[in-house]
Amino acid sequence: MSSSPSPRDPVADLRRIAFLLERSLQSSYKVKAFRGASTAIAVLPAGRLEEAVARGELTALKGVGDSTAKVITASLRGEEPEYLARLEREVGGPLVEGGGTLRAALRGDLHCHSDWSDGGSPIEDMAVTALELGHEYTALTDHSPRLTVARGLTAERLRRQLDVVARLNEQLAPFRLLTGIEVDILDDGSLDQTEDLLAELDVVVASVHSKLQMEPAAMTRRMVAAVSNPHVDILGHCTGRYVTTNTRTGKPRAESRFDAEKVFSACVEHGVAVEINSRPERLDPPRRLLRQAVEAGCIFSVDTDAHAPGQLDWQPYGCARGEECGVTADRVVSAWALDDLLAWTADHAVRPA
C-alpha cells in the first residue's frame, strides 16, 4: 500500500454505506455492521488502522468484519470501495420524480426518533446526519410512555434527554436540535404526557397508535380533542395506515376512519399542522385526504418520521406528493425560518410576515 495520504476517508465511506442501506430500508444487521465498524475505527490512535492493514490484522480489530475490512482497505488505497460503488449505482440516485421545488424550500424535519425509544441510532448520529443533509433544524420526537413496544419515554427520561439535547446544541450550533415528542393520543383524545412537560418542548407531534380501527365518530372526537390541545403543533400520520408491509408486524394496515372535514377544520381553527409523513410504507395522508386538507386551508409539515440516519433523506417522498396535491412552501412549517417556526409553536396564531 502506498505511503502517500489517501484522498478517501474510510470512516466516511463506512457511514455512507450505512446511510444508503438505511435509506433503502435494507437489513438492519448490515447497517449495524457498517455503522459499528465506522465507530470502532474512528477512535483508533493515528496510524493504528494503516498498521493493521499492513500486517493483515484488520479483522482482529473489534467491530471490523470481512466486508467492512474490504471497504476500509480499498478506502485507504484511495479507491472507491466496490460495496459503496454498487450501492450508489443501485440506490444512491433520486428517490422519486417531482417535489424538487418544495424540497429545496425545506429548512428542517420535525419528526424523528433516536435509540432512546424505537430508533436505531444515538441522538448525536441523527443530529449530525440532519446537519450533513443541509437542515437548519430537526426536532427529536421520541415516543411517549404508553407506547411500551417503542420504549416510550417517561417524564423522567424525557427530562434527561433534554439535557443531552442542550449539550449537543452547544457543539452543533448554529444547527438546532429541537426538543420534542411524538405523544400518543389516548382513547379520549387526551395526551400521554404531563401538560407542564409538553409546554417546555419546542415541538409536539400528536399521533394515534392504538385502537386504530375505532368507530369513526369516536375516532373523530378523539382526534379533534387532541388537536384542540394548545400544546399540540402537528397531527402525525393521521390515518395510521401502512401501504406496504410493515417491518415490525409483517403486514399492511388499513386506514383509520374519521370525519376528515371535522378533523381538518379543527386543525385550521387551532393552527395545527397536518403532517405529510414521508415514510415509504406510510405515505400518510392519502392523496384524497391531502387534497382535502389543502382545500380546508390547513398548514403542513413534511416530515420523515425517521428511525435511522439514512431515513432522514426520505423527505422527497412527501414533497412529491405534496406538490402533486397543491401544497405550497408558504404553508409548510418545516420550510419556515427557525425563529418563525418557534414563534408559531409558541402561539399557533402567529405566521411568518
Side-chain angles (χ1 to χ4, degrees):
M1 185 171 59
S2 170
S3 60
S4 61
S6 168
R8 300 192 69 89
D9 177 0
V11 173
D13 283 344
L14 290 166
R15 289 185 70 235
R16 177 63 178 171
I17 289 171
F19 177 91
L20 291 171
L21 290 170
E22 290 164 340
R23 185 179 187 252
S24 52
L25 271 178
Q26 296 189 41
S27 165
S28 60
Y29 175 81
K30 292 181 182 178
V31 171
K32 289 178 181 178
F34 286 98
R35 282 211 179 275
S38 71
T39 301
I41 69 171
V43 297
L44 291 176
R48 178 70 182 92
L49 191 61
E50 290 82 357
E51 178 186 346
V53 172
R55 293 182 176 182
E57 299 174 350
L58 197 49
T59 56
L61 296 176
K62 185 177 180 181
V64 178
D66 291 339
S67 295
T68 54
K70 291 178 182 177
V71 170
I72 293 167
T73 302
S75 187
L76 286 175
R77 287 176 177 155
E79 304 167 1
E80 182 179 33
E82 176 53 34
Y83 200 113
L84 175 56
R86 177 176 58 80
L87 282 176
E88 294 284 12
R89 289 193 304 269
E90 294 177 355
V91 299
L95 292 171
V96 65
E97 292 184 8
T101 300
L102 187 53
R103 175 64 187 89
L106 296 185
R107 296 172 182 258
D109 187 339
L110 299 180
H111 185 174
C112 78
H113 300 271
S114 75
D115 60 3
W116 281 57
S117 64
D118 62 342
S121 292
I123 296 171
E124 183 175 5
D125 287 0
M126 298 298 290
V128 168
T129 301
L131 174 60
E132 291 172 345
L133 287 171
H135 290 338
E136 297 174 19
Y137 53 78
T138 292
L140 179 63
T141 53
D142 279 318
H143 289 286
S144 61
R146 183 183 180 186
L147 208 60
T148 54
V149 69
R151 297 180 61 243
L153 274 63
T154 62
E156 179 185 359
R157 289 182 67 215
L158 179 54
R159 288 193 182 281
R160 283 195 280 120
Q161 186 182 81
L162 300 186
D163 292 335
V164 173
V165 171
R167 290 195 296 272
L168 265 178
N169 279 328
E170 291 179 0
Q171 300 171 23
L172 300 178
F175 173 84
R176 174 79 172 269
L177 184 61
L178 301 172
T179 59
I181 190 171
E182 184 181 15
V183 65
D184 231 30
I185 299 175
L186 304 180
D187 296 358
D188 62 355
S190 60
L191 305 178
D192 182 35
Q193 192 49 273
T194 63
E195 293 284 314
D196 61 333
L197 188 46
L198 292 175
E200 292 182 33
L201 302 175
D202 294 321
V203 177
V204 174
V205 179
S207 307
V208 174
H209 289 106
S210 61
K211 297 186 180 178
L212 289 160
Q213 299 310 311
M214 178 181 281
E215 188 271 329
M219 181 63 85
T220 301
R221 289 192 295 270
R222 180 183 184 183
M223 296 172 74
V224 167
V227 301
S228 300
N229 186 303
H231 299 309
V232 172
D233 303 308
I234 300 167
L235 175 62
H237 48 69
C238 64
T239 76
R241 72 176 187 172
Y242 283 112
V243 295
T244 59
T245 300
N246 172 240
T247 53
R248 185 174 62 82
T249 64
K251 56 186 178 182
R253 186 165 65 200
E255 300 172 20
S256 296
R257 295 173 299 146
F258 54 88
D259 187 327
E261 181 178 355
K262 289 183 178 178
V263 170
F264 294 150
S265 292
C267 287
V268 172
E269 178 183 354
H270 297 283
V272 171
V274 174
E275 179 180 69
I276 302 176
N277 190 290
S278 302
R279 289 194 68 85
E281 73 268 38
R282 283 192 183 275
L283 299 179
D284 202 0
R287 287 177 176 82
R288 73 181 194 285
L289 293 184
L290 185 48
R291 292 188 177 98
Q292 188 172 347
V294 170
E295 293 171 1
C298 292
I299 54 176
F300 301 91
S301 184
V302 181
D303 301 326
T304 58
D305 193 358
H307 286 64
Q311 297 175 9
L312 286 164
D313 202 25
W314 280 348
Q315 281 181 318
Y317 289 124
C319 291
R321 294 172 61 254
E323 283 191 4
E324 181 183 342
C325 296
V327 176
T328 52
D330 59 304
R331 293 171 64 175
V332 176
V333 299
S334 44
W336 295 351
L338 178 59
D339 288 347
D340 291 329
L341 175 73
L342 293 177
W344 163 72
T345 61
D347 180 351
H348 291 162
V350 174
R351 298 289 186 276

